[in-house]
Amino acid sequence: QVQLVESGGGLVQAGGSLRLSCAASGRAFSTYTVGWFRQAPGKEREIVAGIKRTDSSTYYADSVKGRFSISRDNAKNTVYLRMENLKPEDTAVYYCAADRTNVVVTSTSGWDYWGQGTQVTVSS
């Protein structure tokens, strides 16, 4: 009973920054644990970051620690992914996912709701 819409993707040069947004319609985001996943050409979809429903504790993949930051604004029903010092290997379609359980699951099968994705392309 929730729809997710990603935005903020685009083309940037290596070393640049982007902020992705995941906006929810329907019930408030405060009832959902939310994750960001990405899928690069020819590769499997992988988790990037997650933020829990109850205490907003976070998870980050080793490849993005220190560069990406996930946050949420429950009043706006929105989750953000701030990406800094982007690298060409970050190029992928980025997806927002949500589930009502109070845990960040690293596999794609553990999530009930998905957005359509937003393209991030990092040149050079």
Side-chain angles (χ1 to χ4, degrees), residues 71-90:
S71 61
R72 67 191 303 159
D73 187 337
N74 289 333
K76 297 181 178 179
N77 291 349
T78 302
V79 169
Y80 306 96
L81 183 68
R82 179 67 180 178
M83 306 185 295
E84 298 181 335
N85 191 25
L86 284 162
K87 304 175 180 180
E89 52 263 42
D90 295 319

Side-chain angles (χ1 to χ4, degrees), residues 14-51:
S17 301
L18 283 174
R19 188 184 72 165
L20 306 184
S21 297
C22 175
S25 61
R27 66 174 60 203
F29 247 177
S30 62
T31 64
Y32 291 88
T33 291
V34 179
W36 282 98
F37 291 75
R38 68 185 182 187
Q39 187 165 20
K43 297 183 179 180
E44 298 292 320
R45 189 173 300 186
E46 63 179 0
I47 192 167
V48 174
I51 186 164

Side-chain angles (χ1 to χ4, degrees), residues 62-110:
D62 289 341
S63 60
V64 305
K65 286 181 179 178
R67 299 190 299 120
F68 290 11
S69 179
I70 188 171
S71 61
R72 67 191 303 159
D73 187 337
N74 289 333
K76 297 181 178 179
N77 291 349
T78 302
V79 169
Y80 306 96
L81 183 68
R82 179 67 180 178
M83 306 185 295
E84 298 181 335
N85 191 25
L86 284 162
K87 304 175 180 180
E89 52 263 42
D90 295 319
T91 295
V93 177
Y94 283 72
Y95 298 90
C96 179
D99 194 277
R100 293 198 68 187
T101 188
N102 190 34
V103 62
V104 176
V105 179
T106 57
S107 63
T108 59
S109 61

